[in-house]
Each structure stands twice: as C-alpha cells, then as structure tokens.
Amino acid sequence: MRKELIDGMVETALTGQSISNEQALQLESFSHEELDYLFIGTDRIRDQFKGENVKICSIVNAKSGRCVEDCSFCGQSSSFKTDAPEFELMSVEEMVTAAKEAEAFGANEFSIVASGTKMNDREELDRVKEAVRRIKAETNLETCCSLGLMELDHLKELKEAGLDRCHHNLETAASHFEKIVTTHTYEDEVNAVQNAQKAGLDVCVGGIFGMGETFAQRVELAIDIRDLETQSFPINFLKPLEGTALEDMALMELYEALRTIAMLRLVLPTIDLFVCGGREEVFNNHQEKIFAAGANGILGGNYLTTKGQDPKRDIKMIENLGLKPVYQSV
C-alpha cells in the first residue's frame, strides 16, 4: 500500500491547499484497500474544514421540459422523447410553498430551477424575483436559482431581490463537452458562472460524472472549478434516463464514485461538496460512505424529474454517523 503517497496528499489538503493535477491523476490507480485508507484522510479533511455539520439543499422544478438545448443526459431536452413533465413557470405562491416544505424537513438552502437556455422573459424573471423576496422574508433559508446562461444585469436584479447563490454546472470537462452538448459551448457555461460572480453572488458549480468521461477528465473539471474559486460543488452521478442519448450508460460503480468524491475533496479541500443526483442509485445502501470520502452536503427531497428518498431517512443516516444536519446547529 502506498501509505506515504496518500499521507502526503492528505497533509497537503489539511493545510487548505489543493493537491496537484499530477497527484490527482494517481488516484485512478488506487486499489480498494488504498482507497479505504485514503477515506480515513478525506474524512479528516472534511471534519477540519466543515466540522460535524452536513448541509442539506432542496430544489423545486419550477419550470419543466421543452428545452431547446440538446444536453445528452437531460430528460427535459426537446431533442429527446421522455416521460419528463412539461409545464410553465410555477406561480410565486407555489414556489414559496415548496420552499417552506423544504425548510420543514431540514433543508437550509432552497433552489429554484427552471428549464431553458436562460430566463430572459420579463414576466418570468419578475415572478422569480418576487418568490425570492418572499422566501427570504418568510423563511430562514438561503436562496439559490438555476436559470441557465443568465445575463449579468438580470443576475444583479436577482441579487437585489435577496438571492444568495447562483447554481450553474459546467456539466463535464472542456475536452469532453462537445460529446455531451452541441447547442452551446463550454465557454458559454464558464461565462455564466463569471456573470454570477460579477453580480456578487456565491456560486455553486459542479458537473455530472459517469457520462463516458475518463478519470483524467474528471480531474480536469475539478481543476477548472478550483481555478474559478467557487463556493459549492454539486456532485451528480448519471442516472440514465430512458429516451435520452445516454440511456444505455451503466451506473458508476460504488468505489469509482467514492474515488471521484475523494479526488474532489483533495483538489478542493475547503469547498462545500454536495452529493446530489444519482445518490440513491449509485450508493444504494452505502450512502453513508460519501461523508468519509469527503462530502459535507446532500441534496434532499426530490430531483428535477425523478423522486428522491424520504428526507427522514436522510436525517436519520446523518445523525447515526454522529453528524448534524446543519439546521440543528446555530
């Protein structure tokens, strides 16, 4: 076992510094035994920078389907025939109600997600702004929106309405991007993130793993996001949806998924790592392992077009590990 190599990586990350690209690439060759040893270290890193708190985020699918983008994984793309729901933007009241329900089960952050390239319709934008204002006034939740390739001026309006954070995934590495999306570019994604930063918002930026990329491309994405200096990384694992271009992809194997989380914790030692889509399917009865691998947050409740597990089960799992859902810690 390469204990000295692993210990060196962990000690670097414990100082708050990222391991190098070359070191991150070495994780691909780690055996299960070496990964189990590494997880002792990534658990220390998580504990040092995040303590015993586990953040819980919740989302609402506020506008669904009929998207003109051709993202290969997405059931809401008009390029594919799926059973994903299709509906126009929810009312303000519906979004606020969803936020209050999320807070009731323990979420500390709530994100309004809308399909489409970007939200630039004035009536829709005003509706989301009003929902953000009311959520800030009527709950203790942090507010987040995922509205596509947003323009800077519109993001500034949302910030003024009380928005805390913008979520915008880069999806996959630049070198793999054209195999997943052809209707816009990787540079468009990066520009959307930078617009959110210019607007003064915290930014939640991650991707989806298990879409045919190499481990080196996972490292590539991690390094790019490190260099963007964002605050949160939502880790999604592909759940192949019937009718999409990736419907025949296999679920990522358990240890490969844990290897990916550990790599992200070593490259991004101080960031919030949330395990989101695919958690139930990839980790199944081993979901507690994500925290030793380095995660300090989860997406609770339902996803965009698929159901999540009972939030009470998530809370119980967290508490059984001696950790605390963040809403319990003041």
Side-chain angles (χ1 to χ4, degrees), residues 266-283:
L266 290 165
V267 172
L268 303 160
T270 63
I271 206 169
D272 284 327
L273 292 181
F274 288 80
V275 179
C276 303
R279 171 165 60 96
E280 293 86 353
E281 292 78 16
V282 170
F283 299 98

Side-chain angles (χ1 to χ4, degrees), residues 214-228:
T214 64
F215 187 79
Q217 287 170 325
R218 292 176 211 159
V219 173
E220 178 188 345
L221 178 62
I223 296 293
D224 273 3
I225 290 178
R226 179 198 68 186
D227 293 346
L228 281 169

Side-chain angles (χ1 to χ4, degrees), residues 32-150:
H32 285 193
E33 181 185 14
E34 288 171 322
L35 286 173
D36 285 336
Y37 181 72
L38 173 63
F39 299 152
I40 298 171
T42 49
D43 195 40
R44 287 175 60 204
I45 300 165
R46 176 202 54 75
D47 184 65
Q48 173 155 315
F49 294 108
K50 303 301 174 181
E52 60 187 2
N53 292 337
V54 173
K55 294 187 175 183
I56 304 174
C57 178
S58 182
I59 64 174
V60 63
N61 186 16
K63 179 184 179 183
S64 185
R66 298 189 291 272
C67 180
V68 299
E69 303 300 322
D70 68 351
C71 306
S72 299
F73 54 84
C74 186
Q76 298 193 61
S77 170
S78 58
S79 299
F80 312 122
K81 292 184 178 180
T82 70
D83 60 0
E86 295 185 3
F87 51 82
E88 296 299 325
L89 184 66
M90 286 180 171
S91 68
V92 170
E93 197 63 42
E94 287 173 316
M95 288 185 268
V96 173
T97 297
K100 290 179 178 179
E101 290 174 352
E103 185 177 41
F105 79 66
N108 76 295
E109 180 182 331
F110 182 77
S111 184
I112 296 169
V113 184
S115 66
T117 302
K118 61 183 174 182
M119 183 173 286
N120 56 7
D121 177 270
R122 173 45 58 184
E123 193 278 331
E124 287 187 339
L125 188 63
D126 287 344
R127 203 184 307 177
V128 171
K129 285 166 57 180
E130 179 60 22
V132 169
R133 288 192 191 97
R134 284 195 52 192
I135 292 167
K136 292 297 288 184
E138 298 175 27
T139 76
N140 293 313
L141 292 163
E142 294 181 13
T143 53
C144 178
C145 283
S146 182
L147 306 176
L149 304 172
M150 293 292 286

